[in-house]
Amino acid sequence: TAKLAGRACYRIYSAVDTEQGRHQQRLSEALIASLKTAPEEFSVVYQPQYHLATGKVAGVEALLRWNHPEFGSVSPADFVPIAEHRGHIHELTEHLVRCLLADLPDFPGNVLPGLCLAINISARQITDSRLEALLGPFFERVRWIGWLPEIEITETHLMNLTRQCLDRLREFGNQGVIVAIDDFGTGYSSLAYLHTLPVQVLKIDRQFIRRLGEESRDSRIVSAILGIAEALDLEVVAEGIENEDQYRKLCELRCHRGQGYLMARPAPWQALSGSLIDQHQE
Ligand code: C2E
Ligand code: MG
Ligand code: MG
Ligand code: MG
């Protein structure tokens, strides 16, 4: 493993001299410039989440978008790690919150009561002293329309959470914020550790949903995750549901909630709200 890790490091450092490395460098500079001077390049799309048994909408996840004049639409899978690496994740979340607060007046709390509104938070940010002040107004506005604020943190970084992080998560929990573990199954949380975390939701990573079919190894893994969740009294969300077979299998396994292109793709709030209200009133 040491050898492999060494090679991986070598690849990262040497990448700066390659075409791809130079592209990375320019993307990184562009991101930092845009974060400072081009708020209009950032927007938020929302992907609904459904109760699988009833097909009713359970909530929405906010996903950040960055549209750059030269690079076009850059995936958060690419720009979030850059922002983390360059120490600009706080500014990124500032744009997220700004966009959310602009959209929130149009959220129909009265027509669709009690939904969750989830945002993704980088594990590194949890102990940032500025986080509370940044997210406070968002939590407040979400509660004001009668919805529940939720934060998703990817499992990969969970094992590194310090005492201070856990305390912060507990504080969020005490304020009625739901805490979810994102991309569950890709990290290394031990059962003993999971038990001590102040979380209420596990989101099963898309890679386990992809090959979910009859008798597949992945359906046994999903089934095991549901068993763990039941023992720990956690809600489970399957992400990346793309076809009817996957949906049916997840219903069979009694997975609680699901999200994916089969039901809805992420979209700007204006494009999504009408159909959510229609579905709700069906
Ligand atoms: P995630 O939180 O696990 O979000 C799910 C990702 O899967 C989203 O990609 C979503 O568009 C995509 N997806 C949803 N349904 C399907 C499906 O059926 N099939 C396939 N193939 N993909 C599906 P997206 O929007 O590109 O985001 C990627 C990741 O970037 C997110 O993964 C999240 O970890 C991160 N991210 C997004 N927005 C933010 C943000 O505001 N802050 C932070 N820190 N991270 C963010
Ligand atoms: Mg997420
Ligand atoms: Mg995920
Ligand atoms: Mg993911």
Side-chain angles (χ1 to χ4, degrees):
T1 345
K3 212 171 177 184
L4 275 178
R7 222 178 286 158
C9 282
Y10 173 71
R11 210 177 292 136
I12 289 166
Y13 291 123
S14 68
V16 182
D17 303 327
T18 66
E19 185 60 40
Q20 204 200 339
R22 278 190 295 274
H23 174 77
Q24 252 332 87
Q25 191 62 33
R26 282 168 52 229
L27 199 64
S28 171
E29 296 311 323
L31 177 66
I32 289 162
S34 293
L35 284 171
K36 288 209 178 84
T37 60
E40 71 285 354
E41 291 174 12
F42 296 89
S43 62
V44 174
V45 289
Y46 300 85
Q47 187 178 35
Q49 225 177 62
Y50 297 88
H51 295 289
L52 291 178
T54 61
K56 291 274 185 205
V57 62
V60 288
E61 176 177 7
L63 297 156
L64 196 59
R65 293 291 175 262
W66 175 39
N67 199 27
H68 185 264
E70 182 191 341
F71 295 108
S73 167
V74 186
S75 166
D78 296 324
F79 69 77
V80 169
I82 296 176
E84 282 179 341
H85 183 69
R86 301 287 302 262
H88 290 273
I89 196 73
H90 180 78
E91 285 88 333
L92 201 93
T93 308
E94 279 179 340
H95 286 290
L96 174 78
V97 170
R98 182 180 49 77
C99 294
L100 285 164
L101 291 180
D103 282 342
L104 264 161
D106 295 329
F107 278 62
N110 52 339
V111 198
L112 297 166
L115 300 196
C116 298
L117 176 48
I119 57 172
N120 293 278
I121 290 296
S122 192
R124 291 179 190 213
Q125 259 180 299
I126 295 174
T127 46
D128 187 324
S129 57
R130 297 166 295 177
L131 191 65
E132 195 99 57
L134 177 58
L135 297 184
F138 163 70
F139 293 155
E140 213 169 279
R141 290 284 282 285
V142 173
R143 280 194 215 96
W144 191 78
I145 60 163
W147 283 21
L148 298 163
E150 179 170 338
I151 57 176
E152 301 185 1
I153 300 155
T154 53
E155 191 197 14
T156 346
H157 306 287
L158 268 185
M159 287 308 278
N160 307 324
L161 293 192
T162 57
R163 168 95 247 151
Q164 202 189 352
C165 280
L166 293 179
D167 288 345
R168 182 53 87 67
L169 285 183
R170 248 171 232 120
E171 274 168 40
F172 283 146
N174 293 339
Q175 294 165 28
V177 177
I178 299 168
V179 181
I181 303 183
D182 209 346
D183 303 341
F184 188 75
T186 61
Y188 312 92
S189 3
S190 70
L191 288 182
Y193 186 67
L194 253 190
H195 180 60
T196 65
L197 287 178
V199 301
Q200 292 100 304
V201 177
L202 298 182
K203 294 191 79 173
I204 305 179
D205 192 67
R206 187 167 79 226
Q207 77 177 80
F208 301 107
I209 310 304
R210 204 181 314 147
R211 288 159 306 185
L212 203 62
E214 292 302 308
E215 299 306 318
S216 76
R217 191 191 59 144
D218 287 337
S219 67
R220 291 197 299 276
I221 291 175
V222 170
S223 175
I225 293 176
L226 283 157
I228 292 166
E230 193 179 353
L232 299 176
D233 202 17
L234 303 172
E235 185 101 351
V236 177
V237 181
E239 61 179 24
I241 305 174
E242 293 183 350
N243 62 53
E244 298 280 356
D245 286 343
Q246 294 164 339
Y247 191 103
R248 214 172 302 120
K249 189 72 198 178
L250 287 163
C251 285
E252 227 172 82
L253 295 171
R254 302 212 182 287
C255 180
H256 314 121
R257 290 191 260 150
Q259 191 178 344
Y261 293 169
L262 174 69
M263 294 89 91
R265 283 181 181 258
W269 182 252
Q270 276 71 12
L272 189 73
S273 60
S275 60
L276 284 189
I277 293 170
D278 289 346
Q279 284 166 17
H280 179 73
Q281 287 166 346
E282 260 168 28

